[in-house]
Amino acid sequence: MERSGEGGRRMLADLLDASHLMPIESLPDKAAECARAASFREVLIYVADLQRTTLRLVPGDEAAARGHEPELPIEGTVAGRAYQYGDVLPAAPPGGVFPWWVPLLDGTERIGLLRVTSEHNDAAARADMEALAALVALILVSKRGTSDALARLVRARPMSVAAEMQWNLLPPRTYADGRVAISASLEPAYDISGDVFEYAVDGPLVHLTIFDAMGHDTAAGLSGALALGACRNARRQGAGLVDKADAVEAALLEQYDHRRYVTGVLATLDTRTGVLRWVNRGHHPPIVIRDNRWTSHLTCPPAHPMGTDLGLRSIVCEEHLQPGDRIVLYTDGITEARSSGGREFGLARFTDFLIRHHADGLPVPETLRRLIQAVLEYHDGRLQDDATVLLCEWIGPHLEPADIAAGLTGLTSNGLRDAGGTGLGD
């Protein structure tokens, strides 16, 4: 006999009503309390740490959490697999009750997992689990910016001042809307200084930016933050690619008078046509990956780094993309990371890694997570420079709202559900 959905609706309504005036510390207990209406005996919340290597239990009622690990590795665990691929997976062999790992997703951002124990194992129970996970994710995202407790939970060690600034400036590390899928990764997570990335959607246009500021200290973080702020400000006033780069240079010159510079690529993708336009300011050129095998290193005469005022003319270059093409922007910390023997990770190894792992069917965010782990391992866990990569896949032309919703369903089923923001999850 088909069960009524009234319990699930009451669960969501009660939790939503409570969330408006609820501190995040109360979320685990309140979620578990409301979930009883849907016949869920236990609900635990795990969030991914900053480097996406572990899942950490959000503290709640001690009795409820007793017997559960406070920290789970992402590699080599069922919970980790649910997080990596965005799948609902059984947490234990079924018995009298049914425990499940349910991904916490805010749109396409991977935040962590719910561990839900249900009295039922049917389609209605699964639908209620996924709805609960979606609401918990929204609550976490809405409150994380004001929660030091959550910020501490997702950190494995103290963060530098520069990294504290950068993480709070950056957009979420993954975004998708049916036209594009964007993901970014950067290390060293606790000591990043001069690297910043940016993406923004403006109707049919998607703006992509990556900056690498001179130096590896707090001053590099300040100049990177200034560059990002100047670029963002100019873009929101309608500036084009060249004018945005000029605005960054003007801000750096005013503040530092030729003492600091920033390299970067500023790009705009028209999702209606697949035309990519970009300006190179003393940076590594973008890469295009096509058909999981073919790569093109886009050539464009570079102008001088922003802040040096050398007078080289900025040239806007164009590339016509095909649906499924992936644009990759990166900083030199990715390719120039060296092994203990002194060998560079290298551009060929970098592009081959992206192609192989995407061909294996991994989600884009998971590919980048593994890439960063590979770069860290190659460098014995310690990078001498910031290593940042921003990847944008053009799914296809502009879609109507109903088509975008359908496209997102396909994206999430293929694992392109992800990302991170200011240090919570991705």
Side-chain angles (χ1 to χ4, degrees), residues 9-348:
R9 287 190 289 271
R10 189 165 72 252
M11 169 187 70
L12 297 176
D14 290 348
L15 182 56
L16 180 61
D17 183 61
S19 70
H20 298 297
L21 298 175
M22 178 179 64
I24 204 165
E25 290 81 0
S26 300
L27 178 58
D29 294 340
K30 181 57 68 173
E33 176 188 329
C34 294
R36 294 189 192 109
S39 300
F40 296 152
R41 293 190 181 182
E42 182 181 61
V43 174
L44 301 175
I45 303 171
Y46 284 82
V47 293
D49 76 324
L50 185 63
Q51 292 179 299
R52 298 173 295 181
T53 59
T54 61
L55 295 156
R56 297 185 168 190
L57 180 65
V58 179
D61 180 67
E62 290 185 10
R66 191 173 298 131
H68 296 287
E69 293 293 334
E71 185 173 302
L72 297 167
I74 287 177
E75 299 293 343
T77 63
V78 174
R81 184 172 178 82
Y83 174 81
Q84 289 172 296
Y85 291 90
D87 294 331
V88 177
L89 296 176
V97 293
F98 304 91
W100 298 90
W101 290 114
V102 187
L104 285 171
L105 302 163
D106 175 41
T108 58
E109 177 183 359
R110 295 183 304 180
I111 295 172
L113 297 173
L114 284 189
R115 191 184 193 279
V116 181
T117 301
S118 173
E119 295 179 7
H120 304 282
N121 182 18
D122 55 22
R126 178 163 175 153
D128 285 344
M129 286 181 217
E130 292 181 329
L132 175 62
L135 181 54
V136 169
L138 285 171
I139 296 171
L140 285 168
V141 168
S142 71
K143 296 180 180 292
R144 66 184 173 189
T146 57
S147 175
D148 280 355
L150 198 57
R152 284 192 297 269
L153 181 64
V154 300
R155 298 181 187 188
R157 59 186 177 88
M159 183 176 286
S160 70
V161 172
E164 192 79 56
M165 291 190 304
Q166 303 304 64
W167 280 117
N168 284 284
L169 285 173
L170 299 175
R173 280 183 276 182
T174 297
Y175 169 85
D177 66 9
R179 303 167 300 175
V180 293
I182 300 170
S183 192
S185 287
L186 66 168
E187 282 284 350
Y190 295 94
D191 297 300
I192 53 169
S193 51
D195 277 15
V196 289
F197 68 86
E198 168 88 320
Y199 62 83
V201 177
D202 184 7
L205 303 180
V206 176
H207 303 289
L208 306 166
T209 306
I210 195 164
F211 290 140
D212 185 355
M214 160 195 169
H216 312 296
D217 52 11
T218 302
L222 289 169
S223 52
L226 178 60
L228 182 58
C231 177
R232 191 176 284 168
N233 180 260
R235 186 186 71 238
R236 290 172 178 170
Q237 296 182 59
L241 292 169
V242 172
D243 289 339
K244 285 191 293 184
D246 288 345
V248 172
E249 175 144 81
L252 290 168
L253 289 171
E254 179 182 2
Q255 183 65 35
Y256 295 110
D257 189 24
H258 300 84
R259 296 190 304 274
R260 288 274 168 180
Y261 67 83
V262 173
T263 70
V265 170
L266 301 90
T268 298
L269 171 64
D270 190 327
T271 60
R272 297 165 298 189
T273 62
V275 172
L276 177 73
R277 304 171 75 243
W278 78 97
V279 166
N280 187 338
R281 295 299 299 261
H283 199 80
H284 297 284
I287 297 170
V288 170
I289 298 175
R290 179 166 295 157
D291 297 330
N292 284 332
R293 61 180 186 273
W294 183 78
T295 62
S296 172
H297 306 290
L298 302 182
T299 58
C300 187
H304 56 277
M306 294 161 286
T308 59
D309 195 24
L310 298 179
L312 299 177
R313 184 168 67 95
S314 293
I315 297 174
V316 178
C317 297
E318 286 191 3
E319 178 78 8
H320 288 261
L321 303 180
Q322 299 176 11
D325 281 357
R326 279 159 280 151
I327 310 112
V328 184
L329 309 181
Y330 64 98
T331 62
D332 54 14
I334 290 284
T335 55
E336 295 178 8
R338 294 181 180 273
S339 67
S340 56
R343 295 184 59 190
E344 287 187 350
F345 193 80
L347 188 58

